[in-house]
Amino acid sequence: YLNFVNRMGGKPISFLKAVPHVLSRRPLSVPHKVDLTRDRTRLRFPPLQPGQQLSIPVIMHPTTSTLAHFAAYTGEGFRRALKVYLPVHILPLLIFNPKLAFRDPIATLFKTAEGVFRSSLFLSTFCSLGWLGLAACFPLIQSLNPNPMTPSGRHASAVAAAGAGSLCALSLLLEKPGRRIEVALYCLSQAIRTAFNTRLKGGRGPLSRALKRGEVALF
């Protein structure tokens, strides 16, 4: 699942690893700076300056505005999503209902094309809304809680991430009504697993300490 999300996101891994540092306002490690500098050079981004404060725009799109990045990134994501949803919509039709394709090919073609378009637009918008939400939410919450070491500052970072994730959910309205519950349940299961693994890694909470194989309980 994580590999799929990273591939659909289209961002270098070093950029993604920098996001927690942006949210918590922790400095990057030296190896991470090396990886980040290499990827920024490959993308022809300006180098990070000593002491420069990190932000989502600085990491993800330093040469364009947030809205311009949203539009361009959505278009790029749409092309990546087509490679996923073309077989998802076409293969089941050809395998399980080939008679329909031959009985009414024009109507079937348009219906399938609509499904591919809506699903691809959903996935690309899902990703782009995440970066848009972080870029929009975090500076506001950061201004209200400038110290990341305080409980309120840590909570502000969590609220920014949750706000961006909630904004992503709006993209589900682009999908067909019949597929929305399927996608929502799948994302919910992955969110629960991620939350559990995060708590297990941090060693916080009696549940994470008691269960060594949390995937059994999650199942």
Side-chain angles (χ1 to χ4, degrees):
Y1 172 75
L2 183 60
N3 290 335
F4 171 77
V5 171
N6 289 339
R7 187 167 65 253
M8 288 299 101
K11 295 292 187 182
I13 298 298
S14 63
F15 286 20
L16 302 181
K17 289 182 177 179
V19 173
H21 293 268
V22 173
L23 296 179
S24 62
R25 283 159 279 177
R26 292 180 287 112
L28 299 173
S29 64
V30 174
H32 191 179
K33 284 183 178 179
V34 172
D35 293 339
L36 189 62
T37 300
R38 182 184 64 249
D39 289 330
R40 290 176 69 89
T41 301
R42 176 173 57 83
L43 295 174
R44 298 181 180 179
F45 284 180
L48 293 174
Q49 300 300 321
Q52 183 177 7
Q53 184 177 7
L54 297 179
S55 66
I56 296 299
V58 167
I59 296 296
M60 297 296 175
H61 51 94
T63 59
T64 60
S65 67
T66 298
L67 291 180
H69 172 261
F70 172 80
Y73 185 67
T74 300
E76 295 168 1
F78 184 84
R79 291 190 290 272
R80 287 190 294 268
L82 281 176
K83 300 177 183 178
V84 174
Y85 284 112
L86 277 172
V88 165
H89 285 267
I90 293 176
L91 289 181
L93 175 66
L94 297 178
I95 295 173
F96 299 109
N97 202 1
K99 293 182 179 179
L100 179 62
F102 290 103
R103 185 171 62 246
D104 195 352
I106 301 300
T108 302
L109 176 63
F110 277 101
K111 185 177 180 179
T112 303
E114 180 192 4
V116 171
F117 175 82
R118 293 183 66 160
S119 295
S120 300
L121 188 60
F122 150 71
L123 185 56
S124 61
T125 306
F126 180 88
C127 297
S128 57
L129 282 176
W131 298 126
L132 179 66
L134 282 177
C137 294
F138 188 70
L140 175 61
I141 298 177
Q142 185 182 29
S143 66
L144 300 176
N145 297 275
N147 188 352
M149 303 308 296
T150 63
S152 60
R154 291 192 292 271
H155 292 159
S157 300
V159 169
S166 300
L167 187 62
C168 291
L170 294 177
S171 63
L172 196 57
L173 297 176
L174 298 171
E175 265 286 15
K176 291 183 176 180
R179 283 181 51 83
R180 292 172 189 171
I181 187 64
E182 299 174 11
V183 176
L185 288 175
Y186 177 75
C187 290
L188 176 62
S189 66
Q190 296 298 330
I192 294 174
R193 182 183 299 274
T194 299
F196 186 91
N197 289 337
T198 300
R199 293 184 64 85
L200 186 64
K201 184 177 180 180
R204 297 187 296 273
L207 183 62
S208 61
R209 292 193 297 268
L211 295 177
K212 295 182 179 180
R213 303 295 295 178
E215 62 271 16
V216 178
L218 291 177
F219 178 79

